[in-house]
Amino acid sequence: SDLSKVVAGEDLLMNAEVGKPSKIYKHILSHQHLFARFIPVKITDSQIKKSFKKATLKLYSPTQIAELPKPVLVSRYLADIDFL
């Protein structure tokens, strides 16, 4: 996958700053309960640009991200951290 191309063989996450895990989010579906926790990871712009050049992934601005469809759990987390 393209994501594995970004991470494989790279130091992309080696120098990343890992933040505190989020609270546990719960989402109830008709047939199961999902529990999720998000862990913020900060990487530099130069690391991102270098790695994404090797794959066909696309970067989005916060405004563009707000307009994209997202799973409910992701939308709730992004709203809670004031990203959306």
Side-chain angles (χ1 to χ4, degrees):
S1 79
D2 286 334
L3 185 57
S4 64
K5 289 178 190 174
V6 171
V7 178
E10 293 291 331
D11 292 330
L12 181 64
L13 299 177
M14 295 302 291
N15 298 317
E17 181 183 326
V18 178
K20 180 181 173 187
S22 72
K23 67 179 185 179
I24 296 175
Y25 288 83
K26 180 179 179 181
H27 184 68
I28 300 173
L29 300 171
S30 61
H31 58 288
Q32 63 185 359
H33 294 194
L34 302 176
F35 296 90
R37 184 173 288 209
F38 297 89
I39 301 171
V41 177
K42 291 183 183 179
I43 54 178
T44 65
D45 285 343
S46 62
Q47 289 171 305
I48 292 170
K49 289 175 184 171
K50 178 183 171 188
S51 295
F52 273 60
K53 268 186 186 177
K54 296 179 180 182
T56 57
L57 299 175
K58 185 175 178 181
L59 297 174
Y60 292 91
S61 70
T63 303
Q64 292 171 315
I65 291 170
E67 295 173 3
L68 290 171
K70 294 169 282 309
V72 172
L73 286 171
V74 173
S75 293
R76 286 179 42 213
Y77 170 70
L78 293 176
D80 283 354
I81 63 167
D82 296 324
F83 189 83
L84 296 180

